[in-house]
Amino acid sequence: MSNLQVKFGRLLAAHRKRAGYTQEQLAEDAGVSVDTIRKLEGGTVGASFPMIEKIAGALRIDPAELFSTEVPSGTLSRTKFNEISLKLAGLSPNELQWVSDLLDVALRRE
């Protein structure tokens, strides 16, 4: 068990609790097993980047916040761009195309 895995697990648990989620709720929202969340929080397994993105999306945070010690105060700034990026990350290719087309129309300068 690496020191980084343990730190990540503690930060994940802190974010989860701050968001008011149980391990079961986070697992369901992230589309992973409860056992995975338990192992991640316990520091017995590491997380892949896709897993980190799923969990951050479920917690509605920037993935970088899962590596920040600023968790308890929630002081890591979130820009509107990051919020939009997280929303877009969960869309299907067809949905992304629709959003892209919508932006083209909305941002058209005449």
Side-chain angles (χ1 to χ4, degrees):
M1 171 174 359
S2 82
N3 195 30
L4 181 58
Q5 284 177 197
V6 172
K7 286 180 183 179
F8 178 86
R10 288 180 184 156
L11 286 168
L12 172 57
H15 273 293
R16 176 182 57 76
K17 290 172 186 175
R18 188 180 74 176
Y21 281 123
T22 63
Q23 288 179 332
E24 292 78 11
Q25 290 167 322
L26 177 57
E28 184 176 328
D29 284 0
V32 301
S33 72
V34 176
D35 189 52
T36 297
I37 298 297
R38 287 186 184 125
K39 287 178 180 178
L40 287 170
E41 287 188 3
T44 59
V45 297
S48 65
F49 286 122
M51 177 69 64
I52 292 167
E53 288 176 328
K54 285 181 182 182
I55 291 169
L59 291 169
R60 293 174 180 80
I61 61 172
D62 186 293
E65 291 184 68
L66 291 170
F67 297 93
S68 172
T69 57
E70 299 174 6
V71 174
S73 63
T75 58
L76 191 63
S77 68
R78 294 184 195 130
T79 65
K80 185 55 71 176
F81 180 79
N82 287 343
E83 291 175 28
I84 293 169
S85 295
L86 283 172
K87 290 176 184 176
L88 292 174
L91 297 180
S92 71
N94 287 341
E95 292 168 326
L96 281 172
Q97 183 60 55
W98 181 83
V99 170
S100 178
D101 293 345
L102 182 65
L103 285 172
D104 287 343
V105 171
L107 300 175
R108 188 175 297 145
R109 292 190 167 86
E110 296 186 32

PDB file of all heavy atoms in Angstrom, residues 53-80:
ATOM      1  N   GLU A  53     -11.958  10.374 -12.869  1.00  0.00           N
ATOM      2  CA  GLU A  53     -12.910  11.242 -13.567  1.00  0.00           C
ATOM      3  C   GLU A  53     -14.354  10.877 -13.214  1.00  0.00           C
ATOM      4  O   GLU A  53     -15.186  11.764 -13.004  1.00  0.00           O
ATOM      5  CB  GLU A  53     -12.698  11.171 -15.080  1.00  0.00           C
ATOM      6  CG  GLU A  53     -11.430  11.864 -15.520  1.00  0.00           C
ATOM      7  CD  GLU A  53     -11.156  11.716 -17.005  1.00  0.00           C
ATOM      8  OE1 GLU A  53     -11.518  10.672 -17.598  1.00  0.00           O
ATOM      9  OE2 GLU A  53     -10.574  12.654 -17.572  1.00  0.00           O
ATOM     10  N   LYS A  54     -14.657   9.594 -13.146  1.00  0.00           N
ATOM     11  CA  LYS A  54     -16.009   9.152 -12.779  1.00  0.00           C
ATOM     12  C   LYS A  54     -16.375   9.619 -11.371  1.00  0.00           C
ATOM     13  O   LYS A  54     -17.462  10.131 -11.132  1.00  0.00           O
ATOM     14  CB  LYS A  54     -16.118   7.622 -12.823  1.00  0.00           C
ATOM     15  CG  LYS A  54     -16.192   7.026 -14.183  1.00  0.00           C
ATOM     16  CD  LYS A  54     -16.324   5.515 -14.039  1.00  0.00           C
ATOM     17  CE  LYS A  54     -16.369   4.816 -15.365  1.00  0.00           C
ATOM     18  NZ  LYS A  54     -16.546   3.364 -15.202  1.00  0.00           N
ATOM     19  N   ILE A  55     -15.451   9.428 -10.453  1.00  0.00           N
ATOM     20  CA  ILE A  55     -15.716   9.785  -9.059  1.00  0.00           C
ATOM     21  C   ILE A  55     -15.843  11.299  -8.909  1.00  0.00           C
ATOM     22  O   ILE A  55     -16.762  11.795  -8.242  1.00  0.00           O
ATOM     23  CB  ILE A  55     -14.617   9.219  -8.136  1.00  0.00           C
ATOM     24  CG1 ILE A  55     -14.727   7.685  -8.097  1.00  0.00           C
ATOM     25  CG2 ILE A  55     -14.701   9.809  -6.741  1.00  0.00           C
ATOM     26  CD1 ILE A  55     -13.556   6.987  -7.444  1.00  0.00           C
ATOM     27  N   ALA A  56     -14.942  12.045  -9.546  1.00  0.00           N
ATOM     28  CA  ALA A  56     -15.008  13.509  -9.477  1.00  0.00           C
ATOM     29  C   ALA A  56     -16.313  14.013 -10.081  1.00  0.00           C
ATOM     30  O   ALA A  56     -16.940  14.930  -9.541  1.00  0.00           O
ATOM     31  CB  ALA A  56     -13.809  14.124 -10.189  1.00  0.00           C
ATOM     32  N   GLY A  57     -16.725  13.404 -11.175  1.00  0.00           N
ATOM     33  CA  GLY A  57     -17.995  13.796 -11.794  1.00  0.00           C
ATOM     34  C   GLY A  57     -19.167  13.560 -10.861  1.00  0.00           C
ATOM     35  O   GLY A  57     -20.075  14.396 -10.751  1.00  0.00           O
ATOM     36  N   ALA A  58     -19.164  12.429 -10.181  1.00  0.00           N
ATOM     37  CA  ALA A  58     -20.242  12.118  -9.242  1.00  0.00           C
ATOM     38  C   ALA A  58     -20.249  13.083  -8.063  1.00  0.00           C
ATOM     39  O   ALA A  58     -21.305  13.449  -7.550  1.00  0.00           O
ATOM     40  CB  ALA A  58     -20.101  10.675  -8.743  1.00  0.00           C
ATOM     41  N   LEU A  59     -19.056  13.524  -7.641  1.00  0.00           N
ATOM     42  CA  LEU A  59     -18.947  14.461  -6.527  1.00  0.00           C
ATOM     43  C   LEU A  59     -19.113  15.918  -6.977  1.00  0.00           C
ATOM     44  O   LEU A  59     -19.150  16.816  -6.151  1.00  0.00           O
ATOM     45  CB  LEU A  59     -17.590  14.297  -5.830  1.00  0.00           C
ATOM     46  CG  LEU A  59     -17.382  13.006  -5.064  1.00  0.00           C
ATOM     47  CD1 LEU A  59     -15.915  12.858  -4.649  1.00  0.00           C
ATOM     48  CD2 LEU A  59     -18.296  12.957  -3.849  1.00  0.00           C
ATOM     49  N   ARG A  60     -19.156  16.105  -8.297  1.00  0.00           N
ATOM     50  CA  ARG A  60     -19.270  17.442  -8.892  1.00  0.00           C
ATOM     51  C   ARG A  60     -18.104  18.344  -8.486  1.00  0.00           C
ATOM     52  O   ARG A  60     -18.280  19.480  -8.048  1.00  0.00           O
ATOM     53  CB  ARG A  60     -20.605  18.088  -8.543  1.00  0.00           C
ATOM     54  CG  ARG A  60     -21.784  17.379  -9.169  1.00  0.00           C
ATOM     55  CD  ARG A  60     -23.110  17.954  -8.700  1.00  0.00           C
ATOM     56  NE  ARG A  60     -24.244  17.275  -9.305  1.00  0.00           N
ATOM     57  CZ  ARG A  60     -24.734  16.103  -8.903  1.00  0.00           C
ATOM     58  NH1 ARG A  60     -24.167  15.454  -7.917  1.00  0.00           N
ATOM     59  NH2 ARG A  60     -25.779  15.565  -9.504  1.00  0.00           N
ATOM     60  N   ILE A  61     -16.911  17.776  -8.623  1.00  0.00           N
ATOM     61  CA  ILE A  61     -15.695  18.527  -8.333  1.00  0.00           C
ATOM     62  C   ILE A  61     -14.715  18.334  -9.474  1.00  0.00           C
ATOM     63  O   ILE A  61     -14.846  17.408 -10.282  1.00  0.00           O
ATOM     64  CB  ILE A  61     -15.034  18.076  -7.007  1.00  0.00           C
ATOM     65  CG1 ILE A  61     -14.635  16.602  -7.060  1.00  0.00           C
ATOM     66  CG2 ILE A  61     -15.942  18.377  -5.825  1.00  0.00           C
ATOM     67  CD1 ILE A  61     -13.814  16.121  -5.879  1.00  0.00           C
ATOM     68  N   ASP A  62     -13.727  19.184  -9.534  1.00  0.00           N
ATOM     69  CA  ASP A  62     -12.646  19.025 -10.489  1.00  0.00           C
ATOM     70  C   ASP A  62     -11.799  17.836 -10.014  1.00  0.00           C
ATOM     71  O   ASP A  62     -11.531  17.714  -8.811  1.00  0.00           O
ATOM     72  CB  ASP A  62     -11.801  20.300 -10.507  1.00  0.00           C
ATOM     73  CG  ASP A  62     -10.737  20.265 -11.572  1.00  0.00           C
ATOM     74  OD1 ASP A  62      -9.808  19.434 -11.445  1.00  0.00           O
ATOM     75  OD2 ASP A  62     -10.829  21.050 -12.519  1.00  0.00           O
ATOM     76  N   PRO A  63     -11.384  16.942 -10.916  1.00  0.00           N
ATOM     77  CA  PRO A  63     -10.577  15.793 -10.499  1.00  0.00           C
ATOM     78  C   PRO A  63      -9.337  16.180  -9.690  1.00  0.00           C
ATOM     79  O   PRO A  63      -8.920  15.449  -8.786  1.00  0.00           O
ATOM     80  CB  PRO A  63     -10.187  15.118 -11.813  1.00  0.00           C
ATOM     81  CG  PRO A  63     -11.287  15.494 -12.754  1.00  0.00           C
ATOM     82  CD  PRO A  63     -11.695  16.882 -12.357  1.00  0.00           C
ATOM     83  N   ALA A  64      -8.764  17.335  -9.949  1.00  0.00           N
ATOM     84  CA  ALA A  64      -7.575  17.771  -9.221  1.00  0.00           C
ATOM     85  C   ALA A  64      -7.851  17.935  -7.729  1.00  0.00           C
ATOM     86  O   ALA A  64      -6.942  17.812  -6.909  1.00  0.00           O
ATOM     87  CB  ALA A  64      -7.058  19.092  -9.794  1.00  0.00           C
ATOM     88  N   GLU A  65      -9.101  18.186  -7.377  1.00  0.00           N
ATOM     89  CA  GLU A  65      -9.439  18.363  -5.966  1.00  0.00           C
ATOM     90  C   GLU A  65      -9.267  17.080  -5.163  1.00  0.00           C
ATOM     91  O   GLU A  65      -9.154  17.132  -3.935  1.00  0.00           O
ATOM     92  CB  GLU A  65     -10.854  18.903  -5.822  1.00  0.00           C
ATOM     93  CG  GLU A  65     -10.970  20.330  -6.311  1.00  0.00           C
ATOM     94  CD  GLU A  65     -12.335  20.914  -6.085  1.00  0.00           C
ATOM     95  OE1 GLU A  65     -12.697  21.122  -4.913  1.00  0.00           O
ATOM     96  OE2 GLU A  65     -13.029  21.148  -7.077  1.00  0.00           O
ATOM     97  N   LEU A  66      -9.257  15.945  -5.837  1.00  0.00           N
ATOM     98  CA  LEU A  66      -9.040  14.683  -5.136  1.00  0.00           C
ATOM     99  C   LEU A  66      -7.578  14.511  -4.714  1.00  0.00           C
ATOM    100  O   LEU A  66      -7.223  13.542  -4.054  1.00  0.00           O
ATOM    101  CB  LEU A  66      -9.497  13.506  -5.999  1.00  0.00           C
ATOM    102  CG  LEU A  66     -11.011  13.426  -6.201  1.00  0.00           C
ATOM    103  CD1 LEU A  66     -11.360  12.387  -7.260  1.00  0.00           C
ATOM    104  CD2 LEU A  66     -11.711  13.103  -4.890  1.00  0.00           C
ATOM    105  N   PHE A  67      -6.744  15.470  -5.098  1.00  0.00           N
ATOM    106  CA  PHE A  67      -5.330  15.434  -4.729  1.00  0.00           C
ATOM    107  C   PHE A  67      -4.937  16.654  -3.910  1.00  0.00           C
ATOM    108  O   PHE A  67      -3.772  16.909  -3.692  1.00  0.00           O
ATOM    109  CB  PHE A  67      -4.461  15.367  -5.987  1.00  0.00           C
ATOM    110  CG  PHE A  67      -4.681  14.117  -6.774  1.00  0.00           C
ATOM    111  CD1 PHE A  67      -5.597  14.101  -7.815  1.00  0.00           C
ATOM    112  CD2 PHE A  67      -4.003  12.950  -6.464  1.00  0.00           C
ATOM    113  CE1 PHE A  67      -5.822  12.942  -8.541  1.00  0.00           C
ATOM    114  CE2 PHE A  67      -4.230  11.787  -7.186  1.00  0.00           C
ATOM    115  CZ  PHE A  67      -5.138  11.777  -8.226  1.00  0.00           C
ATOM    116  N   SER A  68      -5.916  17.426  -3.455  1.00  0.00           N
ATOM    117  CA  SER A  68      -5.648  18.666  -2.742  1.00  0.00           C
ATOM    118  C   SER A  68      -5.908  18.521  -1.254  1.00  0.00           C
ATOM    119  O   SER A  68      -6.914  17.962  -0.849  1.00  0.00           O
ATOM    120  CB  SER A  68      -6.536  19.780  -3.307  1.00  0.00           C
ATOM    121  OG  SER A  68      -6.428  20.931  -2.503  1.00  0.00           O
ATOM    122  N   THR A  69      -5.018  19.078  -0.467  1.00  0.00           N
ATOM    123  CA  THR A  69      -5.220  19.073   0.977  1.00  0.00           C
ATOM    124  C   THR A  69      -6.157  20.188   1.409  1.00  0.00           C
ATOM    125  O   THR A  69      -6.458  20.329   2.587  1.00  0.00           O
ATOM    126  CB  THR A  69      -3.878  19.236   1.714  1.00  0.00           C
ATOM    127  OG1 THR A  69      -3.258  20.442   1.266  1.00  0.00           O
ATOM    128  CG2 THR A  69      -2.971  18.050   1.460  1.00  0.00           C
ATOM    129  N   GLU A  70      -6.645  20.981   0.469  1.00  0.00           N
ATOM    130  CA  GLU A  70      -7.563  22.073   0.775  1.00  0.00           C
ATOM    131  C   GLU A  70      -9.006  21.597   0.858  1.00  0.00           C
ATOM    132  O   GLU A  70      -9.921  22.393   0.907  1.00  0.00           O
ATOM    133  CB  GLU A  70      -7.442  23.174  -0.282  1.00  0.00           C
ATOM    134  CG  GLU A  70      -6.063  23.779  -0.344  1.00  0.00           C
ATOM    135  CD  GLU A  70      -5.917  24.764  -1.473  1.00  0.00           C
ATOM    136  OE1 GLU A  70      -6.917  25.075  -2.143  1.00  0.00           O
ATOM    137  OE2 GLU A  70      -4.796  25.232  -1.693  1.00  0.00           O
ATOM    138  N   VAL A  71      -9.206  20.284   0.882  1.00  0.00           N
ATOM    139  CA  VAL A  71     -10.540  19.700   0.869  1.00  0.00           C
ATOM    140  C   VAL A  71     -11.451  20.197   1.982  1.00  0.00           C
ATOM    141  O   VAL A  71     -12.544  20.659   1.705  1.00  0.00           O
ATOM    142  CB  VAL A  71     -10.458  18.151   0.927  1.00  0.00           C
ATOM    143  CG1 VAL A  71     -11.832  17.550   1.064  1.00  0.00           C
ATOM    144  CG2 VAL A  71      -9.770  17.629  -0.296  1.00  0.00           C
ATOM    145  N   PRO A  72     -11.043  20.124   3.253  1.00  0.00           N
ATOM    146  CA  PRO A  72     -11.986  20.478   4.306  1.00  0.00           C
ATOM    147  C   PRO A  72     -12.548  21.892   4.202  1.00  0.00           C
ATOM    148  O   PRO A  72     -13.689  22.138   4.508  1.00  0.00           O
ATOM    149  CB  PRO A  72     -11.178  20.301   5.592  1.00  0.00           C
ATOM    150  CG  PRO A  72     -10.118  19.334   5.233  1.00  0.00           C
ATOM    151  CD  PRO A  72      -9.796  19.639   3.793  1.00  0.00           C
ATOM    152  N   SER A  73     -11.732  22.828   3.732  1.00  0.00           N
ATOM    153  CA  SER A  73     -12.222  24.192   3.641  1.00  0.00           C
ATOM    154  C   SER A  73     -12.911  24.454   2.314  1.00  0.00           C
ATOM    155  O   SER A  73     -13.591  25.458   2.161  1.00  0.00           O
ATOM    156  CB  SER A  73     -11.057  25.172   3.823  1.00  0.00           C
ATOM    157  OG  SER A  73     -10.115  25.004   2.778  1.00  0.00           O
ATOM    158  N   GLY A  74     -12.712  23.587   1.345  1.00  0.00           N
ATOM    159  CA  GLY A  74     -13.324  23.780   0.036  1.00  0.00           C
ATOM    160  C   GLY A  74     -12.800  25.020  -0.666  1.00  0.00           C
ATOM    161  O   GLY A  74     -13.520  25.648  -1.423  1.00  0.00           O
ATOM    162  N   THR A  75     -11.529  25.354  -0.434  1.00  0.00           N
ATOM    163  CA  THR A  75     -11.000  26.603  -0.959  1.00  0.00           C
ATOM    164  C   THR A  75     -10.433  26.499  -2.366  1.00  0.00           C
ATOM    165  O   THR A  75     -10.086  27.513  -2.944  1.00  0.00           O
ATOM    166  CB  THR A  75      -9.902  27.153  -0.036  1.00  0.00           C
ATOM    167  OG1 THR A  75      -8.868  26.172   0.079  1.00  0.00           O
ATOM    168  CG2 THR A  75     -10.451  27.496   1.329  1.00  0.00           C
ATOM    169  N   LEU A  76     -10.320  25.301  -2.906  1.00  0.00           N
ATOM    170  CA  LEU A  76      -9.793  25.181  -4.257  1.00  0.00           C
ATOM    171  C   LEU A  76     -10.790  25.806  -5.213  1.00  0.00           C
ATOM    172  O   LEU A  76     -11.958  25.430  -5.237  1.00  0.00           O
ATOM    173  CB  LEU A  76      -9.564  23.712  -4.611  1.00  0.00           C
ATOM    174  CG  LEU A  76      -8.782  23.428  -5.890  1.00  0.00           C
ATOM    175  CD1 LEU A  76      -7.364  23.981  -5.782  1.00  0.00           C
ATOM    176  CD2 LEU A  76      -8.720  21.943  -6.144  1.00  0.00           C
ATOM    177  N   SER A  77     -10.362  26.778  -5.951  1.00  0.00           N
ATOM    178  CA  SER A  77     -11.312  27.518  -6.788  1.00  0.00           C
ATOM    179  C   SER A  77     -11.799  26.673  -7.957  1.00  0.00           C
ATOM    180  O   SER A  77     -11.067  25.890  -8.536  1.00  0.00           O
ATOM    181  CB  SER A  77     -10.657  28.795  -7.319  1.00  0.00           C
ATOM    182  OG  SER A  77      -9.628  28.478  -8.230  1.00  0.00           O
ATOM    183  N   ARG A  78     -13.053  26.858  -8.280  1.00  0.00           N
ATOM    184  CA  ARG A  78     -13.673  26.186  -9.418  1.00  0.00           C
ATOM    185  C   ARG A  78     -14.180  27.242 -10.367  1.00  0.00           C
ATOM    186  O   ARG A  78     -15.014  28.050 -10.022  1.00  0.00           O
ATOM    187  CB  ARG A  78     -14.856  25.340  -8.963  1.00  0.00           C
ATOM    188  CG  ARG A  78     -14.474  24.200  -8.096  1.00  0.00           C
ATOM    189  CD  ARG A  78     -15.704  23.363  -7.776  1.00  0.00           C
ATOM    190  NE  ARG A  78     -15.366  22.501  -6.681  1.00  0.00           N
ATOM    191  CZ  ARG A  78     -16.080  22.361  -5.590  1.00  0.00           C
ATOM    192  NH1 ARG A  78     -17.200  22.997  -5.447  1.00  0.00           N
ATOM    193  NH2 ARG A  78     -15.687  21.571  -4.633  1.00  0.00           N
ATOM    194  N   THR A  79     -13.656  27.225 -11.549  1.00  0.00           N
ATOM    195  CA  THR A  79     -14.130  28.184 -12.536  1.00  0.00           C
ATOM    196  C   THR A  79     -15.333  27.619 -13.256  1.00  0.00           C
ATOM    197  O   THR A  79     -15.593  26.416 -13.242  1.00  0.00           O
ATOM    198  CB  THR A  79     -13.028  28.492 -13.561  1.00  0.00           C
ATOM    199  OG1 THR A  79     -12.748  27.303 -14.306  1.00  0.00           O
ATOM    200  CG2 THR A  79     -11.766  29.000 -12.878  1.00  0.00           C
ATOM    201  N   LYS A  80     -16.077  28.486 -13.877  1.00  0.00           N
ATOM    202  CA  LYS A  80     -17.238  28.057 -14.658  1.00  0.00           C
ATOM    203  C   LYS A  80     -16.793  27.096 -15.766  1.00  0.00           C
ATOM    204  O   LYS A  80     -17.479  26.130 -16.072  1.00  0.00           O
ATOM    205  CB  LYS A  80     -17.943  29.283 -15.244  1.00  0.00           C
ATOM    206  CG  LYS A  80     -19.231  28.976 -15.967  1.00  0.00           C
ATOM    207  CD  LYS A  80     -20.247  28.211 -15.143  1.00  0.00           C
ATOM    208  CE  LYS A  80     -20.888  28.989 -14.054  1.00  0.00           C
ATOM    209  NZ  LYS A  80     -21.945  28.226 -13.348  1.00  0.00           N
TER     210      LYS A  80
END
